Amino acid sequence: MKIYFHLNLGGFSNCYVVANEKCKEAIIIDPGQITEKIIDNIESGSYKLSGVFITHNHGSHVHGLRTLRKIYTPKIYAADWEVAGNDTNVITGDGKVRIAGLTVRYMALPGHTADSMVYKIGNVLFTGDTISAGKIGTTNSSYSDFILRNNIDRKIFSQQDATVLMPGHGPPTCVGAEKLYNLDMVQITEKDEFSETPLSDE
C-alpha cells in the first residue's frame, strides 16, 4: 500500500491517495481539490480509481469531488447523503468496506460534525477533523465537545500507540503521541490547576 499526500491550499486541508500496487487500484480520501499531481499519481501508476471516502461534508474536503467524477467513476462513501446525492453509498455506525483490494474500516465519530467518519486501513487512521496533531476538532456546543472527546477516547485512543493518524489538517501524528501531548484531550482538574496555599497570618 502506498499513500500519497496532497495539500489543498484553498482550505489548507489534506487529501490522500491510497494505492494498492498489487491490484493496481486506488482510493481517495477527502478530495478537497483535484490537482494535476493527484491525477498524475493515478495515471502514472496505472491505477483504477475504485472509491472515494469522505470524512465529513465540509467544502475544503469535498470541493474536488465534482471534478473527480468528470474523469472517473468511483464509488463514493460518506455518512451524509448530500455529498453526492443518490450516488452516495451512505455508511453509518461502525463497519468495513472491501474495495481496491483493501479493507477499509469505518467508524462514526460525531462531535465536530454529525456526519464525521474515521477510516482505518492497515495501521493508518484517516481522522478528518476529529483530531490532528496537538488538537481536536472544533464543536458548536459543550455537549458536542463532550461527545467528540468521548468518541476520541473510545475509538482512537483505544488503538495501538503506533497507529498512524493522517488528519484532515496539519502533519501526521500517532496515537501514542496524542495521548501524551494533545493538550485538548488533557483533563486537568481545578484542584490540580489552581490549588491554593493558605495565607500565613504572619
Side-chain angles (χ1 to χ4, degrees), residues 4-50:
Y4 300 92
F5 160 80
H6 298 275
L7 176 64
N8 169 19
L9 292 176
F12 290 100
S13 60
N14 300 331
C15 170
Y16 302 97
V17 177
V18 183
N20 186 336
E21 295 178 288
K22 291 183 179 180
C23 66
K24 289 297 181 179
E25 295 184 46
I27 64 173
I28 288 181
I29 298 172
D30 284 352
Q33 181 182 32
I34 298 304
T35 63
E36 184 178 339
K37 185 62 177 176
I38 292 175
I39 301 300
D40 184 61
N41 282 156
I42 298 169
E43 296 300 321
S44 64
S46 298
Y47 298 118
K48 172 189 174 183
L49 183 63
S50 300

Side-chain angles (χ1 to χ4, degrees), residues 18-20 23 25-28 48-53 73-77 89 96-105 121:
V18 183
N20 186 336
C23 66
E25 295 184 46
I27 64 173
I28 288 181
K48 172 189 174 183
L49 183 63
S50 300
V52 175
F53 290 79
T73 56
K75 292 184 177 179
I76 300 165
Y77 297 89
N89 291 278
K96 62 183 178 181
V97 173
R98 184 71 180 174
I99 190 169
L102 304 167
T103 298
V104 181
R105 301 184 184 276
I121 306 174

Side-chain angles (χ1 to χ4, degrees), residues 52-106:
V52 175
F53 290 79
I54 306 297
T55 60
H56 62 297
N57 191 11
H58 276 177
S60 62
H61 299 273
V62 299
H63 271 322
L65 185 57
R66 179 178 296 180
T67 301
L68 197 64
R69 294 175 69 195
K70 291 179 179 179
I71 308 170
Y72 304 104
T73 56
K75 292 184 177 179
I76 300 165
Y77 297 89
D80 186 351
W81 177 86
E82 292 185 355
V83 165
N86 290 332
D87 290 331
T88 307
N89 291 278
V90 177
I91 50 178
T92 59
D94 300 349
K96 62 183 178 181
V97 173
R98 184 71 180 174
I99 190 169
L102 304 167
T103 298
V104 181
R105 301 184 184 276
Y106 59 85

Side-chain angles (χ1 to χ4, degrees), residues 132-148:
S132 56
K135 61 188 299 185
I136 66 174
T138 57
T139 56
N140 58 14
S141 70
S142 58
Y143 178 70
S144 294
D145 184 72
F146 170 79
I147 293 296
L148 178 59

